[in-house]
Structure formats: structure tokens, C-alpha cells
Amino acid sequence: MLRRGERVWLNAAVALVYAFLLAPIVIVVLAALNAGAYLRFPPEGLSLRWFVAFAQSRSFTRSLAFSLKLAATATVLSTVLGTMASLWLVRFGGRLRTTLRILLTAPLAVPGILTGIALLIFFYALGWGKTGFGGLVIGHTLICIPYVFLITSAVLVRFDQSLEEAARNLGASPFATFRRVTLPLIKGGVISGAIFAFVTSYDEFNISLLLSGVGNTPLPIQLFDYLRFSFDPTAAVAGTISIAMAVVVVLLTQRLVGLESLYMGGG
Amino acid sequence: MASLRLQGLTKRFGDVVAVHELTLEVPSGELVALLGPSGCGKTTTLRMVAGFDVPTRGRIVLGDRDITADPPERRDCGMVFQHYALFPHLTVEQNVAFGLEMRGLRRPDVERRVGEILERVGLGGLGRRYPRQLSGGQQQRTALARALVISPRVLLLDEPLANLDAKLREEMRFYIRSLQREFHITTLYVTHDQAEALVLADRVAVLMNGRLQQVGAPEEIYHRPRTPAVAAFIGLTNLLPGRVTGRSGERLVLETPAGTVRAAGAPDLREGMEAMLSVRPEHIELDRPGEPASRDGVNRLRGVVQERTFLGSLIDFRVDVGGGVLLRVQGRGGAPQRVGEQVSVSFDTTAAWALPRREG
């Protein structure tokens, strides 16, 4: 039990942490609602005019759409690849397990800009200079795989394989076993991994900076280019949209996998 | 229904031989218990029959079909796993229906058969529950129902009662037995619990260090063990080293450190051979000393009570009968003998069993 004095200090500390985490978000949102012409805080009156400006800017809407398409593609690819990798590694990795785990999660440890440079050099070496969407998908998938891999592995390690044996024993083919037993039980991990992958891809800056080209500009790069020349609240609007998306994603996770996956033991 | 035959089944994991040249038949409709201490290879054997482990050598024949190379889903074995392995994301009904659905049965047939089997195992009305909402005994019944509903050619049980408390375990023993009789299903039952094996099985196969020691009816295994290891593993027994010095009618005469004893013995024991004498504590009686040499059919030794332990309905004695031999004796609850008292120890010559002394 905490004594009264201690509780006061604890509450204060928690409040400070939350303030520290949430303040930037509040500032971005308020800046987006600024009625004035410049990106600044506190706002000079409230208005939605910069939201309208964002929606009317072709370069912003196009890069938003591009970012969403890119993130969706990278999410699908990295979820499939990361899940397959963790299934194999957890079950059959043997002596290679540790080495392969380090290799698969390396993109987390290597600075993104280095991964980007490496990919750029690699693509040029292949004579595949103007990679556009394809190159970005490869780069994003690469950095998304570790999230899917790690989360799915954590779930798989706890998975009771006698459940799969029971399914086979009852007449299920390996594929039917995966579809009817394994996947439903690990889906919490797979969905969490996919959501992480999506957010990671949507936010990715370093690799996008090096691999994007004309007409292939993800939103973060567009934002960066824009801020170099103009300093108006449109940038804050882009940030606010990202924040709103993150909130939706968090709520979705809660809804899809939150409590249920805790219950299911395996998932 | 089909018989299950294991022929020269061998399994190696690297340098470790888990199962060595196991040949065993489970006749159609019988329940054979594969009994042995943990790590003896019994679960590995079961897993080979189910198709989860591939034998290094040997064959598995179910009915007239060699299933050694078949994948698990085509073996038609129903298995009950030690921890039941019920699908946690499916209800009891869905768990039981799983095997029928995999066989492509139509919905109405699936529902009818699931309903019937759930009634039969006493789970009618619990079909909509999830496994986590069931007690241990109910989970066990669900696992049995799931394995039986597909009408498998053989039923495999892997320590099915190991996770139940003592009282429920006792109850489930008889329950499984009656279910097996009713379905008349060929059953291989793996257990380390000898009481379970003796109660349940038509025949008991004792497996130690991956080698089959003895196969026989429960009485035979209990009263006529073929190796000292089996004698020591099944029930309580006193093991005395001795040497066969002659025959007296039906009985062998053995010289033991505690004196001369007459005993029934394995047929392959010859004069001059080293032997091991097994006498169960419940077959030994304690008397006041006085009555002298052995009467016909009864061995009589003199001893001193060293220990006396009250066990409720029984009293457990340890009696020093000389030659460094301590005999364990179980007397009835009211046995009057005290520690330090001189006693006479007697047991029938038929209750003493001599077996060849060799490593096994």
C-alpha cells in the first residue's frame, strides 16, 4: 500500500509523463486549427481553413493517397512474409534460429538512412535506378517485417503444438489445420503485427527520402519538402490527419484483438 | 474394428534409442495398456502410431493396412492427449464436430452425431461452452467424445487421467473402461500408473528403457513378473537374491541370505542359477514365534520387528529376518506386534515367485 504522500507524488509523476507525451499532439492539432497564416502556437483564433487548403492541394492529397497505397501493400507483404518466417523459425529453426532472428530484425537496429542508402546502391547495381513504387514497397516491407515477425513469434512460442496434432489426428490436412486451428489462435499476433507494420510504413521517412521520385512521394517526404519553403499550418493538418489515423488504428486493435486474444491463450 | 500390430518398431533420436525393436499386438476390441516409468518410450510409441513421429525402423499395421508411412490425417486413429488439446477457440460442440467436418459429413449428420455422443458422455447441455469453462473431468469427456465420434479404428490414450485429482481419476478409470467396452474399440492406453493399467487393461505391456519387458494379463504381470525390474515396478514387493539349489515337487528350492525358501518359479530357472525372489508384502503373515520348521506349502522364517508404521487399514512392518534382509510386511490394522518383538514370518510357497536374475 502506498501512503498518502507517496500517492500524491506518484500521481504527479504520471501526470507529467502524460503531459510530456501528449503535449506535442495537442500543439499540432491546435496549430492545424489556427486561423492565422503561419504555423505557430498558440493559434491566432480557430478555423478549418487549413484543412480546406490541404484537401485542395493536389500534391498533398496525391501523396496521402500514395502513402496509404504504399503502406497497405507493404503491410500485406510484410505480414505474410513475417508470419511465414516466424512459423518456420519457431518450429524448425534449430541451430540457425538465433542467427536468422538477428538477421530478420536487423532493420530495427540499423539506422533507416543506412538501409535506404544500401537499397539505393543495390538497386543501381541491378541497373534498376528509377524504382518508383516497386522500390519503395521493397524498402518498406523490409523495415516492417521485424514488427510482424517479433509479435507473431511471441505468440507462436506459447502456442501448444498438440492442438495442431489433434487437428491432424481428426483428419485435417496440414493446410486445413493451419486455417482452422493455427491461424485463428495466432490471429491476435498477426493482426497486431500488421497494424504495427502499417503505422511504421506510413510514418517512414528515411528510406522514402532516398527511394522516392517524382510522382512517387509519400506524405512525410511531401511534408518535409513543403516545410522547406512554406511555413503555414497545412503541415499541421497533415500531422493531425496522421494522429487521427493512429487513434483509429489503436481503437481498431483494441476492438479486433484486445481482450479476445488475451483469453485465447495462444493468441 | 481392427487389430493394431507393431512390428520391430524402433525410434532413435540422435544417439538415444527411445524405443527398441518393439513388437506388440493389440487384438481387435481389446484394451492394451503400455505401462512404464517416464522416459521409457511409451509416449514415443503412441506418437508413432498416431503418425506424429516417424519410426526409424519397423512397421505399424492397422487391420490389414500398413500405415507406417501414412500422414496422421489418414490413419483413422482417435487420440486423447495428455492435456486434452481441446481447441480453445471452439465450443464443445465445434470441437467434437471438427473431425466429422474434416470427413466431409453433411451438416445435419454432424449435428446428430455430435448430439448423440455428447449425451453419451454426459455433456448434453454443455455443447455451447468453451473448453476453459469446463472442469477437468468435463474437458476429459469432451476429449473422449471428440476422439470417439469419428468412429476411429483404434483409440489412443496418452496418460488421459494424469491431470485429474485422485478421486476423479479413480472414477474416470471405470468410466473409460465401460466406454471402451461399449464401443468395443481397439485401444492403446499409455500410462505410468500401474494401478490404472491393472484396473483398465485386458493386457498390460511393460516397457522399460525402450524395451518391452513383458506382455500379459494384469494378474500375470502382477503375480508372475518375468524380470526383477517388472516385479519392482508393479506394486510393492520384497526382492531377495538367491540361488536355485534344487526342486521339491512343483517348487524350486532357493538358498537366500535369510534361509532356505521354496517358491514357484519361471520355467527357465535351472539348478545352480542365480535368481531373485519376489514376495509381496500382503502375502506375508506375522505370528508369534514357536511353530518350528516349514510346514508343507508354507515358508517360515524367524525375524525381529524393526519398524512399524500405521497406515490406517494396514500396518506396515519391516522385519529383519537375518542375513541383512529386511522384509516388508503388511499386517491388518489391529496387528499387535511391536518393534523389537520376535516374530515368525510365513508365506505360501505359491506366493513366492523366483525369477532369473539378469539385467533388464
Side-chain angles (χ1 to χ4, degrees):
Chain A
M1 279 305 280
L2 292 174
R3 269 177 286 140
R4 228 171 77 84
E6 287 170 337
R7 193 153 1 133
V8 169
W9 280 111
L10 183 66
N11 288 345
V14 169
L16 273 175
V17 169
Y18 269 97
F20 181 73
L21 289 174
L22 295 177
I25 294 175
V26 173
I27 287 172
V28 166
V29 173
L30 287 179
L33 294 168
N34 190 1
Y38 295 101
L39 194 52
R40 72 159 51 136
F41 186 83
E44 306 154 326
L46 297 176
S47 120
L48 287 175
R49 61 183 272 219
W50 296 109
F51 279 85
V52 175
F54 180 91
Q56 281 170 348
S57 153
R58 255 182 72 69
S59 54
F60 268 125
T61 49
R62 199 161 50 191
S63 58
L64 175 63
F66 184 82
S67 263
L68 291 175
K69 188 173 79 166
L70 176 60
T73 313
T75 300
V76 170
L77 286 176
S78 62
T79 302
V80 172
L81 291 173
T83 303
M84 293 198 313
S86 69
L87 270 168
W88 189 84
L89 217 68
V90 169
R91 303 270 166 95
F92 311 107
R95 251 177 299 176
L96 290 173
R97 192 172 293 151
T98 313
T99 317
L100 285 174
R101 186 186 301 132
I102 291 169
L103 285 176
L104 271 166
T105 52
L108 284 183
V110 176
I113 197 79
L114 289 185
T115 309
I117 291 170
L119 280 168
L120 197 63
I121 294 171
F122 178 68
F123 290 150
Y124 269 107
L126 286 179
W128 200 21
K130 291 257 177 284
T131 53
F133 186 66
L136 278 166
V137 165
I138 292 174
H140 280 218
T141 302
L142 189 68
I143 55 155
C144 289
I145 282 177
Y147 295 98
V148 178
F149 172 76
L150 286 174
I151 297 171
T152 312
S153 296
V155 174
L156 273 173
V157 165
R158 289 183 294 142
F159 188 86
D160 176 8
Q161 277 190 62
S162 68
L163 294 174
E164 287 174 357
E165 291 176 346
R168 297 289 300 276
N169 179 255
L170 292 166
S173 66
F175 179 71
T177 300
F178 181 76
R179 202 174 56 82
R180 295 282 310 266
V181 175
T182 315
L183 195 56
L185 288 172
I186 66 168
K187 78 165 191 263
V190 175
I191 292 175
S192 310
I195 285 167
F196 264 97
F198 188 86
V199 172
T200 303
S201 166
Y202 183 80
D203 276 350
E204 174 56 30
F205 181 79
N206 295 310
I207 287 178
S208 299
L209 182 66
L210 289 167
L211 296 181
S212 64
V214 182
N216 289 313
T217 316
L219 189 58
I221 306 302
Q222 176 62 36
L223 210 52
F224 177 69
D225 284 344
Y226 187 78
L227 283 174
R228 279 196 295 179
F229 303 110
S230 24
F231 205 67
D232 67 40
T234 318
V237 170
T240 305
I241 289 172
S242 300
I243 291 163
M245 254 180 43
V247 171
V248 168
V249 160
V250 168
L251 291 177
L252 218 62
T253 321
Q254 197 86 309
R255 201 55 198 272
L256 285 176
V257 295
L259 294 171
E260 187 191 15
S261 71
L262 289 177
Y263 251 134
M264 292 307 181
Chain B
M1 222 34 65
S3 69
L4 172 69
R5 278 174 297 150
L6 314 180
Q7 297 170 345
L9 212 55
T10 299
K11 178 68 184 177
R12 281 208 196 89
F13 293 107
D15 291 337
V16 183
V17 180
V19 178
H20 181 78
E21 293 286 329
L22 176 65
T23 296
L24 178 68
E25 177 170 2
V26 186
S28 180
E30 275 198 16
L31 191 155
V32 170
L34 200 52
L35 173 67
S38 55
C40 73
K42 55 193 192 302
T43 294
T44 303
T45 305
L46 200 72
R47 292 178 56 82
M48 286 193 283
V49 176
F52 304 140
D53 282 335
V54 180
T56 313
R57 259 205 320 279
R59 301 204 309 150
I60 302 163
V61 181
L62 183 56
D64 48 14
R65 208 174 93 216
D66 185 330
I67 59 167
T68 318
D70 288 351
E73 63 268 26
R74 266 189 255 131
R75 293 196 174 204
D76 229 352
C77 303
M79 180 147 171
V80 175
F81 291 78
Q82 183 171 357
H83 302 280
Y84 316 136
L86 298 174
F87 306 127
H89 60 303
L90 301 181
T91 62
V92 169
E93 273 171 358
Q94 290 167 335
N95 263 280
V96 176
F98 190 90
L100 297 173
E101 283 165 8
M102 289 300 136
R103 279 163 175 70
L105 263 73
R106 287 182 313 152
R107 198 69 235 165
D109 294 332
V110 172
E111 276 168 16
R112 182 177 48 77
R113 283 175 68 174
V114 168
E116 280 168 12
I117 194 91
L118 287 180
E119 277 309 319
R120 177 58 194 84
V121 299
L123 289 175
L126 296 184
R128 296 284 156 80
R129 299 237 183 130
Y130 283 92
R132 62 174 179 276
Q133 299 167 319
L134 300 178
S135 70
Q138 290 166 339
Q139 290 183 13
Q140 166 83 89
R141 284 162 196 258
T142 308
L144 276 166
R146 189 177 67 173
L148 286 170
V149 77
I150 58 174
S151 310
R153 280 146 69 84
V154 61
L155 180 64
L156 307 173
L157 300 160
D158 185 10
E159 304 262 10
L161 307 183
N163 295 304
L164 301 177
D165 61 56
K167 200 168 167 199
L168 195 56
R169 189 154 53 212
E170 179 111 17
E171 204 180 295
M172 286 304 286
R173 264 181 211 162
F174 293 101
Y175 184 72
I176 289 180
R177 185 61 174 138
S178 69
L179 213 58
Q180 189 265 335
R181 290 244 168 89
E182 182 188 320
F183 283 79
H184 197 69
I185 186 169
T186 312
T187 304
L188 188 60
Y189 187 109
V190 159
T191 180
H192 69 277
D193 181 333
Q194 33 124 349
E196 214 168 287
L198 297 179
V199 169
L200 273 163
D202 294 301
R203 294 197 305 148
V204 178
V206 185
L207 196 64
M208 284 173 167
N209 298 321
R211 285 159 203 267
L212 192 62
Q213 302 285 315
Q214 189 172 356
V215 188
E219 283 88 352
E220 187 188 334
I221 297 281
Y222 188 80
H223 293 298
R224 299 290 180 250
R226 205 174 295 150
T227 66
V230 173
F233 185 68
I234 312 282
L236 284 174
T237 197
N238 294 291
L239 285 174
L240 286 75
R243 174 193 291 273
V244 183
T245 57
R247 273 188 179 277
S248 141
E250 294 274 280
R251 303 284 164 253
L252 295 168
V253 180
L254 286 102
E255 211 53 56
T256 75
T260 307
V261 171
R262 280 171 303 154
D268 50 342
L269 271 178
R270 303 263 172 280
E271 218 169 294
M273 279 172 77
E274 294 292 324
M276 205 50 116
L277 188 72
S278 163
V279 190
R280 303 256 177 217
E282 72 268 23
H283 291 146
I284 306 179
E285 298 213 19
L286 290 185
D287 291 307
R288 309 246 164 218
E291 292 182 53
S294 307
R295 276 187 289 120
D296 259 8
V298 179
N299 290 299
R300 200 171 277 278
L301 304 169
R302 282 164 176 280
V304 179
V305 176
Q306 290 275 320
E307 261 180 59
R308 180 183 197 272
T309 312
F310 178 66
L311 299 178
S313 63
L314 295 171
I315 292 181
D316 193 64
F317 292 101
R318 283 172 209 241
V319 181
D320 183 350
V321 289
V325 178
L326 269 185
L327 279 190
R328 201 160 165 189
V329 180
Q330 278 178 352
R332 274 175 290 276
Q337 290 82 1
R338 300 282 151 203
V339 173
E341 201 173 322
Q342 294 268 343
V343 289
S344 151
V345 172
S346 58
F347 49 92
D348 282 0
T349 57
T350 49
W353 175 249
L355 43 117
R357 196 192 315 176
R358 57 166 180 243
E359 292 313 303

